[in-house]
Amino acid sequence: MLFVSKIPSRYGFPEDNGRADNSEKVIEQAGKYKGWIPYSDIEPAKLEKPEEVKGVKEIDKYYEEDLIDLLEYCQGVDCDIVFFATPFNGSEERMQQLNYTIDLIEESGFDVINLNTEEAIDEMGLDYSKDYFNANHTSSSGAIKVTDYLSDIFA
């Protein structure tokens, strides 16, 4: 059995924001998005694509202890577990901390899908000028690209 964490995104029910009369779109997307319609009334963050960061920096000991507890728990679970890091546009320090965290997870024997690599960003077709809500979250268009990319991996 494979457990996949839910990807946060900006989705709304068709009835939200006067969309109740948009039944054709609901029917068209019902299979792909289970009846949800992706939308955003928020302008994209219009970020610039950062350089890929290679170094590592330790994370706060409190978070590291929690991560180690989680990894120990996962080692006792009888199923395949995959961790993934959703795209964000972090500072060099935060990206180094992500690299450190990925190293800890992989050293514990688990697979990690890092969606912050240049290769993954290109394969998803993420555009920093329009697919980010802010530096930490993709917009609805970015969330769709991330979801489609992960769907292909886990299909």
Side-chain angles (χ1 to χ4, degrees), residues 87 115-117 119-126 142 145-147 149:
L115 301 180
N116 292 283
T117 66
E119 179 183 359
I121 295 294
D122 290 344
E123 287 178 9
M124 286 183 281
L126 281 178
K145 291 176 181 181
V146 170
T147 302
Y149 183 79

Side-chain angles (χ1 to χ4, degrees), residues 14-109:
E15 296 81 18
D16 292 348
N17 298 321
R19 290 175 173 78
D21 57 346
N22 202 355
S23 60
E24 286 183 25
K25 192 169 186 177
V26 172
I27 293 168
E28 177 186 320
Q29 294 186 348
K32 189 167 190 175
Y33 302 113
K34 309 295 184 203
W36 292 74
I37 295 176
Y39 72 92
S40 177
D41 296 329
I42 301 168
E43 288 293 317
K46 299 180 182 170
L47 305 172
E48 292 186 23
K49 185 175 181 178
E51 294 293 320
E52 192 167 346
V53 176
K54 299 289 186 184
V56 296
K57 180 174 175 31
E58 289 186 359
I59 59 177
D60 183 281
K61 291 297 177 197
Y62 174 80
Y63 296 121
E64 186 169 344
E65 289 171 4
D66 284 350
L67 176 59
I68 290 168
D69 287 346
L70 174 64
L71 294 170
E72 288 172 355
Y73 170 79
C74 290
Q75 288 171 335
V77 175
D78 187 25
C79 69
D80 294 330
I81 296 175
V82 177
F83 290 83
F84 60 92
T86 56
F88 69 98
N89 191 348
S91 66
E92 183 174 349
E93 178 180 7
R94 287 195 61 213
M95 298 308 281
Q96 289 175 335
Q97 290 173 327
L98 173 63
N99 293 340
Y100 180 83
T101 302
I102 289 171
D103 287 348
L104 283 176
I105 294 168
E106 289 178 337
E107 287 169 7
S108 294

Side-chain angles (χ1 to χ4, degrees), residues 123-144:
E123 287 178 9
M124 286 183 281
L126 281 178
D127 181 339
Y128 283 85
S129 68
K130 58 184 171 187
D131 290 330
Y132 281 81
F133 164 66
N134 61 29
N136 295 319
H137 302 93
T138 56
S139 63
S140 58
S141 63
I144 290 170

